[in-house]
Amino acid sequence: MPSESEESQGFYEMLWDCPHCDTKGLLGKSQRHCPECGAPQDADKRYFPTPEQQKLVIDTAPPSGGADDGVQAPVVGGHVYEGADRVCPACQAPNGAKSKNCTQCGSPLDGGAEVAAKQDVPVAAPRHKRRLWPWIVGVIVVAIFAIWFFFIRKHSADVTVTGHRWERVIAIERYDDLHKEAWRNEVPSVVSNAPICYPKKRSSRSVSDGEDCHTERKDKKDGTFEQVKKCTPKTHNEDVMDDWCTFTVRGWGKISEAKAAGTGMVPGPSWPSPPEPDTAPEVLGNKRRGPRTEKLTLDFGPDDACEVVDTVWRRFADGAKAHVEVRSRSGGVVCDSL
Ligand SMILES: [Zn+2]
Ligand SMILES: [Zn+2]
């Protein structure tokens, strides 16, 4: 998961409109009173500048915060954040966090509430995403419950062993020209004929695609807001190609198998005895016995069985009770519990 990086792009002033003389776009930090009629600022009426208002300011940023036309919010140079404004309990005028008495009416600010933060509304907020995720979580919870209910839920029970089955297999191999496929770097150095290769996707790698960025504006509640640029790295997957080769190599290849099978613990499992020898010289056409495999099965009635290791297979006689876990839904024996 790519991590998100954050970069502050500086502090800007919030705006407010004078409700008494209708002057618009006054500055939240530097204009605590209306320059036209002197009315105090109402912190509840602060708002974020539109992107156009803000862009104008960034492009033609004046050195300090003059407010002639009322539509500007210059970068607050050297802004020292002292904390959220507090509202005067007597006259509701917002005051800086360090003020002790109201600059408007002189009343002590003890007990004055913090200014409420304004929420910036992103232009293209994908609102449906928020509504969708509870449904996704719900579906996942139901699916997990269903899997548990039908496949995992189990309890202990005594089941009767109704039969023992065994099967033993010896592979029969012939020394031959074997047709094989592999990536070029895995082709053995000694082959019967030159490998034939074609390009094929072997893996994929993540390739950087720059960044996905957006800006967020956070009300600092002192008449300014901070603009933060948030970026997440963007990537796309690219195929990594390689050569896939077919080739012929001389070696022992399985051509058939000899099988012995039976039921019951007595006389018990025995190996088949095919005519091929255990070993043979590496000469084209020679045959030999290859790897051996054994399969032991315990039956629990006609429809249920478990493949087990030798010690477990011999632990229970036919007709014996085995204390095991069974699936609550199907009644099937959980073979791992044997
Ligand atoms: Zn005014
Ligand atoms: Zn006051």
Side-chain angles (χ1 to χ4, degrees), residues 88-93 95 102-107 109:
C88 169
C91 74
Q92 311 304 317
N95 284 267
C102 176
T103 52
Q104 169 71 13
C105 71
S107 159
L109 289 169

Side-chain angles (χ1 to χ4, degrees), residues 76-149:
V76 181
H79 174 64
V80 178
Y81 183 62
E82 293 173 338
D85 282 351
R86 281 193 297 162
V87 178
C88 169
C91 74
Q92 311 304 317
N95 284 267
K98 285 196 168 167
S99 307
K100 295 215 161 39
N101 295 289
C102 176
T103 52
Q104 169 71 13
C105 71
S107 159
L109 289 169
D110 292 339
E114 246 188 32
V115 164
K118 297 290 174 186
Q119 216 58 46
D120 192 18
V121 183
V123 182
R127 293 179 71 190
H128 65 276
K129 263 191 184 168
R130 223 169 288 162
R131 299 231 176 105
L132 206 60
W133 80 258
W135 286 102
I136 295 170
V137 169
V139 167
I140 291 169
V141 167
V142 168
I144 289 171
F145 177 80
I147 289 168
W148 171 81
F149 187 85

Side-chain angles (χ1 to χ4, degrees), residues 191-204:
V191 291
S192 303
N193 53 22
I196 297 163
C197 305
Y198 64 93
K200 185 174 156 181
K201 179 190 168 184
R202 182 162 183 175
S203 60
S204 60

Side-chain angles (χ1 to χ4, degrees), residues 20 111 281 291:
H20 295 282

Side-chain angles (χ1 to χ4, degrees), residues 13 15-17 23-27 31 47 49-50 52-58 60 62 66-74:
E13 298 210 22
L15 302 182
W16 62 286
D17 297 341
T23 306
K24 303 228 182 291
L26 296 166
L27 299 170
Q31 293 181 314
Y47 57 88
T50 64
E52 290 72 33
Q53 286 170 328
Q54 202 180 321
K55 186 169 185 300
L56 188 77
V57 168
I58 293 169
T60 62
D68 309 313
D69 56 3
V71 190
Q72 55 180 318

